């Protein structure tokens, strides 16, 4: 083989390896764990169906965001959204409509009692509503432009990509209501031991003088 031709083959093969390596670096790799705990790596993003098949069985409750598309679920796990609201709060209704229209998965906590107002003050250093948290970021008071800007920065899609039939969790109070402990019936008084019969003062063969002890 001619030396120049041999050198060209080496250069071409080296260039091909570089291109393959570059393509591999540009291709995202996804880590998947099956139901047996086996870890595999693939260049294909896991789908909801494959993840559902690999989910452990036995009555384990699925995560709140299990039904979301893969990309949206990743964002929701990194930067969960929580809306703090109250009844008869116009800005709270507008804020809720923004999140629902845009398809943002979120939790909602209501503030009603004095204890909940105090808890809100400890959380945000104020008592005004609505309050939105995106991860650790707090947005105090509703602003369409500001809220949209922060949701964009967190990676949430600009348009609704929620699957059909998806519903957010139930609205819950800021402070969980604890059930009152069951009242117990008063315990019956302990039975008193019977009093010994009074000592007789009559003379007996063992006590002829009738002395009382």
């Amino acid at each position: 083989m001619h030396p120049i031709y041999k050198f060209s083959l080496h250069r071409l093969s080296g260039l091909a390896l570089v291109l393959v390596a570059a393509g591999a670096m540009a291709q995202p790799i996804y880590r998947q764990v099956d139901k047996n705990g086996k870890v595999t790596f693939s260049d294909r993003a896991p789908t909801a169906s494959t993840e559902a098949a690999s989910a452990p069985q036995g009555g384990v409750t699925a995560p709140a965001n299990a039904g979301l598309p893969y990309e949206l679920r990743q964002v929701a796990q990194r930067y969960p959204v929580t809306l703090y609201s109250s009844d008869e709060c116009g800005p709270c209704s507008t804020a809720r409509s923004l999140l629902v229209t845009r398809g943002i998965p979120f939790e909602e906590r209501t503030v009603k009692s004095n204890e909940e107002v105090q808890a809100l003050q400890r959380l945000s250093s104020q008592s005004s509503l609505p309050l939105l948290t995106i991860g650790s970021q707090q947005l105090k008071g509703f602003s369409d432009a500001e809220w949209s800007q922060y949701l964009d920065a967190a990676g949430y899609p600009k348009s609704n990509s929620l699957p059909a039939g998806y519903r957010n969790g139930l609205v819950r109070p800021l402070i969980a209501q604890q059930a009152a402990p069951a009242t117990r019936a008063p315990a019956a008084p302990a039975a008193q031991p019977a009093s010994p019969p009074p000592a007789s003062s009559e003379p007996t063969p063992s006590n002829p003088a009738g002395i009382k002890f």
Side-chain angles (χ1 to χ4, degrees):
M1 179 181 293
H2 197 279
I4 296 178
Y5 181 68
K6 182 178 181 181
F7 175 74
S8 299
L9 287 179
H10 280 294
R11 292 191 60 185
L12 288 175
S13 60
L15 179 59
L17 290 175
V18 171
L19 291 176
V20 170
M25 293 175 63
Q27 181 69 29
I29 302 299
Y30 299 94
R31 179 177 179 271
Q32 303 179 37
V33 182
D34 63 13
K35 61 182 179 180
N36 297 321
K38 181 180 179 181
V39 180
T40 57
F41 295 89
S42 172
D43 58 353
R44 294 184 179 182
T47 61
S49 59
T50 57
E51 292 186 355
S54 62
Q57 302 297 321
V60 178
T61 303
N65 298 326
L68 298 176
Y70 180 76
E71 292 79 6
L72 180 56
R73 184 168 68 255
Q74 296 300 310
V75 177
Q77 289 176 350
R78 289 194 300 267
Y79 306 106
V81 175
T82 302
L83 172 66
Y84 298 85
S85 64
S86 66
D87 297 337
E88 299 180 359
C89 170
C92 297
S93 300
T94 307
R96 188 183 305 106
S97 297
L98 169 67
L99 298 176
V100 172
T101 301
R102 181 160 170 170
I104 304 297
F106 69 97
E107 294 185 353
E108 185 171 355
R109 300 288 182 269
T110 57
V111 180
K112 297 181 180 180
S113 65
N114 292 333
E115 292 78 8
E116 290 170 338
V117 172
Q118 295 173 3
L120 179 66
Q121 290 176 336
R122 291 192 296 268
L123 175 66
S124 63
S125 302
Q126 67 175 26
S127 57
S128 61
L129 293 169
L131 169 71
L132 187 75
T133 58
I134 307 175
S136 59
Q137 179 67 45
Q138 295 185 357
L139 303 179
K140 303 172 183 179
F142 175 68
S143 171
D144 191 331
E146 182 184 19
W147 286 27
S148 298
Q149 179 182 3
Y150 276 94
L151 290 170
D152 293 343
Y156 282 99
K158 298 179 182 293
S159 58
N160 194 332
S161 62
L162 294 175
Y166 179 86
R167 294 291 182 271
N168 287 300
L170 297 176
V171 179
R172 294 183 291 173
L174 178 57
I175 299 178
Q177 302 296 326
Q178 297 181 353
T183 57
R184 296 182 178 179
Q192 299 296 327
S195 301
S200 175
S201 59
E202 298 295 330
T204 62
S206 60
N207 185 12
I211 300 175
K212 293 182 180 180
F213 294 94

